[in-house]
Amino acid sequence: MPRFAANLSMLFTELPFMERFAAAADAGFEAVEILFPYEFAAKDTQRAILSNGLQLLLINAPPPNYTGGTPGYAAMPEMADRFQRDMRRVMRYAEVLRPRMIHVMAGYAKGAEAQETFVKNLQFAADLAPDQRFTIEPLNAGDQPGYFLDDYELAVEVLDAVDRPNVGLQYDAYHAQLIHGDAAQVWEKFGPRAVHIQIGAAPGRCEPGTGPVDFTDLFTKIDNSGYSGWVSAEYTPSTVRTEDSLGWKR
């Protein structure tokens, strides 16, 4: 069975942010991820991680514009200068938090120029921090209309063009199911490129156990593939208390 982690931006949200780390540890998780940690002091988040014996697996980048605007813009040509400035800010957070991976969000753009921009920005990030691992993740067009990276074939094409050993694929069962119609088949085809996994049931993005994805079968396929990383629960619980949604894990 895979090693499971908790996404604290979506799980345990019935609690204040800094209390979610202890709740995750109490629920048996040994690792967590945070979508956007930038509104909290990095030292405070680091303290919560360490005091609960957790590992931080992943954060998203670039940081969102809290005054409005897109939460990701790595593929937007008009945002290239800002991307490079903001990725330096991200790396200052990473120096404190030490995430295993940073998910670089493509943003909302289409076409050849957007793809070229995304490739160049990923190369910039990879070269800026060669010891840091980065990921890219296809997101479904229903949830993210206009998002550049909306297909796993496109993701592989981008990765091949980036050609950096510290940039890899992030597989999400929820998005894979909605994009291609069969999360397990997507894993079998693209799993060898994956360096991080996230899960959530489709189409409701709640805990595993509803919808068409057979997670027992998917977890078996992940185990049989030799994948040795973490599988992060990234879903919105259908229960008031997150811990009541964890039956799939037990």
Side-chain angles (χ1 to χ4, degrees):
M1 189 62 67
R3 296 181 296 169
F4 295 114
N7 184 306
L8 297 188
S9 299
M10 298 183 71
L11 301 187
F12 303 103
T13 58
E14 65 271 23
L15 300 171
F17 178 72
M18 290 300 172
E19 295 180 19
R20 298 176 197 172
F21 297 88
D26 289 343
F29 291 105
E30 297 179 355
V32 297
E33 60 182 37
I34 307 165
L35 295 183
F36 294 104
Y38 308 103
E39 62 182 299
F40 307 100
K43 285 289 186 182
D44 291 342
T45 302
Q46 178 196 48
R47 191 175 302 111
I49 292 167
L50 296 177
S51 64
N52 288 286
L54 298 167
Q55 300 180 53
L56 180 61
L57 300 181
L58 180 137
I59 62 175
N60 283 355
N65 179 0
Y66 290 110
T67 61
T70 177
Y73 38 87
M76 299 172 66
E78 69 275 16
M79 302 287 279
D81 289 342
R82 178 179 168 182
F83 176 84
Q84 294 192 9
R85 292 195 305 271
D86 282 357
M87 284 305 296
R88 291 186 172 91
R89 177 187 172 201
V90 169
M91 295 316 302
R92 290 196 292 272
Y93 266 82
E95 287 174 4
V96 177
L97 298 180
R98 301 291 182 184
R100 286 194 174 191
M101 299 178 194
I102 297 174
H103 167 213
V104 179
M105 299 191 69
Y108 305 90
K110 294 294 180 182
E113 187 180 8
Q115 184 164 338
E116 181 181 359
T117 300
F118 194 32
V119 168
K120 288 182 177 179
N121 278 336
L122 288 167
Q123 290 172 331
F124 168 82
D127 294 342
L128 176 68
D131 294 328
Q132 175 68 60
R133 301 189 78 179
F134 297 90
T135 68
I136 61 172
E137 175 192 1
L139 306 182
N140 78 83
D143 286 352
Q144 302 290 341
Y147 195 76
F148 170 76
L149 196 63
D150 58 0
D151 180 272
Y152 276 79
E153 294 282 3
L154 177 58
V156 168
E157 186 177 330
V158 167
L159 289 173
D160 287 344
V162 171
D163 192 26
R164 295 294 189 275
N166 57 332
V167 183
L169 178 67
Q170 184 169 316
Y171 167 87
D172 187 309
Y174 166 74
H175 288 291
Q177 180 68 28
L178 293 183
I179 294 170
H180 294 291
D182 191 322
Q185 284 189 2
V186 173
W187 172 259
E188 290 182 323
K189 184 173 182 178
F190 298 100
R193 303 294 294 266
V195 296
H196 187 57
I197 296 174
Q198 294 171 327
I199 57 169
R205 205 173 192 178
C206 59
E207 61 272 13
T210 65
V213 179
D214 182 342
F215 280 94
T216 299
D217 176 64
L218 179 60
F219 294 155
T220 299
K221 285 181 167 58
I222 291 171
D223 281 339
N224 291 342
S225 73
Y227 173 79
S228 60
W230 294 81
V231 175
S232 186
E234 190 193 42
Y235 63 82
T236 301
S238 64
T239 56
V240 174
R241 299 190 314 163
T242 295
E243 62 189 270
D244 295 333
S245 76
L246 298 177
W248 62 269
K249 179 174 175 285
R250 293 189 294 271

